[in-house]
Amino acid sequence: MDDKKDVLIIGGGPIGLACGLSCQEHNLSFTIIEKGVLVNSIYNYPRNMRFFSTSDKLEIGGIPFISAQPKPDRDEALAYYGRIGQRLKTNLALYEKVERIDGNDEHFQVITDKAVHYGRKVILATGFYDLPKMLNVPGELSKKVRHYFDEGHPYAFKKTIVVGASNSAVDAALEIYRKGGEVTMVVRGPAIGERVKYWVKPDIENRIAEGSIKAYFNSQITEISDNQVTVMTPDGSQTLANDFVLALTGYRPNLSFLQDNGIAIQEQEFQTPQYNKETMESNRLGLYLAGVICGGLQTHLWFIENSRVHAERIIRDISAHGKSR
């Protein structure tokens, strides 16, 4: 089949691009299939977001990433990965949503909403940013409830509840506060998260301590209505006047897609998929996993900085053993 590729890569984020660069290095033909824009997850990050990692830790394929400050922002990352996209542009299939993976090792068919792609091997590098963790409370489907934060301006001079205590929640709370919004945080745990960026954590804690940002710890929303929100706190139920709710409680990978396509879940509590840690090959022969998807629900285990190596492991295995099976 003339259009059959050596490798089909599902996911056009940094790790998917790293797999593409490694294919180029090993003279393997490939296609990167992405349901949205290039590095779709980073594109959907808040506009003013700054990475925890330094720019050198975000580099892929040995291509230097130079930023104005040691820790780059979203726009600098988009520019960097966009330059890599230029190198791979003839191998990109953007705005194609994968529906299923048919066939088997050496004879895969990846069916999207626009085409059928044929390949010997498949790599899943799909990330986790598309499925928000839901609150599962009445009123959550209201238009005033949002699971993604873009920028603070739309919330200026309004009453906004931010749910969560991770980096995304803290960044949103601080930016909205500085844009003139009235911010209340609702946190399930007893304090701001320990993984919050070290240069931001004192800022949010000081704003809470001085009362500029109100915080309810060991608390959770129980109901959302048009003009108010009900919160269960250690002191009992509280009804708060409210205009917007930002439920920034995290995201989860599409594990159903993995299971629907034959990948076993080996650890039930965290829904960790089965794969060989040396080669990254899953239990489905010829289908490999790369990036954050490898951690299941533990989305903090794998990120760009420490999963870049997955690309080389996978392509080395495909190059060494793929044709002989």
Side-chain angles (χ1 to χ4, degrees), residues 22-298:
S22 193
C23 283
Q24 277 190 340
E25 182 181 350
H26 289 80
N27 297 312
L28 296 174
S29 60
F30 65 99
T31 298
I32 299 174
I33 306 166
E34 166 57 53
K35 70 179 181 313
V37 303
L38 191 73
V39 290
N40 193 66
S41 292
I42 293 177
Y43 173 74
N44 285 303
Y45 284 171
R47 293 186 184 181
N48 296 322
M49 193 218 73
R50 189 167 295 280
F51 282 84
F52 188 92
S53 299
T54 55
S55 56
D56 61 302
K57 300 296 186 182
L58 301 176
E59 293 175 357
I60 57 175
I63 300 169
F65 182 177
I66 307 300
S67 58
Q69 299 184 44
K71 299 177 187 295
D73 61 26
R74 165 190 175 272
D75 288 348
E76 289 174 315
L78 288 177
Y80 171 72
Y81 294 117
R83 290 195 299 274
I84 291 173
Q86 287 289 334
R87 300 187 180 204
L88 306 175
K89 61 183 178 181
T90 59
N91 305 92
L92 297 175
L94 302 178
Y95 295 100
E96 285 195 38
K97 183 178 180 180
V98 173
E99 296 176 345
R100 66 183 189 274
I101 304 168
D102 288 348
N104 47 47
D105 188 30
E106 299 293 334
H107 304 286
F108 283 110
Q109 302 98 46
V110 173
I111 292 87
T112 76
D113 56 357
K114 293 183 179 178
V116 178
H117 299 269
Y118 300 91
R120 294 178 44 245
K121 309 291 180 182
V122 174
I123 301 172
L124 279 177
T126 48
F128 73 102
Y129 200 56
D130 296 320
L131 298 176
K133 295 178 181 177
M134 305 298 284
L135 300 176
N136 296 316
V137 300
E140 186 172 11
L141 299 182
S142 166
K143 290 183 180 179
K144 77 174 194 176
V145 181
R146 301 167 184 181
H147 292 276
Y148 297 89
F149 173 72
D150 184 12
E151 59 177 329
H153 183 74
Y155 307 97
F157 316 115
K158 307 299 284 185
K159 299 178 188 297
T160 300
I161 287 179
V162 177
V163 185
S166 63
N167 279 298
S168 57
V170 168
D171 286 347
L174 287 170
E175 185 172 345
I176 293 170
Y177 157 69
R178 293 197 165 98
K179 294 292 184 180
E182 183 179 323
V183 182
T184 299
M185 299 186 73
V186 176
V187 181
R188 183 182 294 270
I192 294 299
E194 289 301 320
R195 296 192 187 97
V196 169
K197 290 171 281 196
Y198 64 84
W199 65 92
V200 174
K201 195 167 184 285
D203 190 359
I204 189 67
E205 290 174 337
N206 288 335
R207 302 293 76 72
I208 292 171
E210 71 186 14
S212 299
I213 294 175
K214 176 70 175 177
Y216 291 92
F217 294 106
N218 297 309
S219 303
Q220 55 188 312
I221 289 177
T222 56
E223 186 174 0
I224 300 167
S225 57
D226 288 345
N227 300 309
Q228 61 188 32
V229 168
T230 304
V231 180
M232 181 56 68
T233 77
D235 297 322
S237 182
Q238 306 278 338
T239 300
L240 310 177
N242 173 256
D243 298 304
F244 294 103
V245 174
L246 280 172
L248 304 179
T249 52
Y251 308 91
R252 56 183 296 160
N254 191 346
L255 296 170
S256 296
F257 178 80
L258 269 65
Q259 292 176 286
D260 290 345
N261 286 283
I263 297 175
I265 300 298
Q266 65 178 2
E267 195 282 324
Q268 291 303 314
E269 181 182 2
F270 298 112
Q271 296 288 288
T272 308
Q274 183 177 331
Y275 67 95
N276 182 314
K277 291 180 173 57
E278 297 299 321
T279 66
M280 309 307 295
E281 188 173 24
S282 73
N283 61 286
R284 185 173 176 183
L285 196 64
L287 197 158
Y288 296 79
L289 305 181
V292 71
I293 195 75
C294 299
L297 296 178
Q298 293 181 290

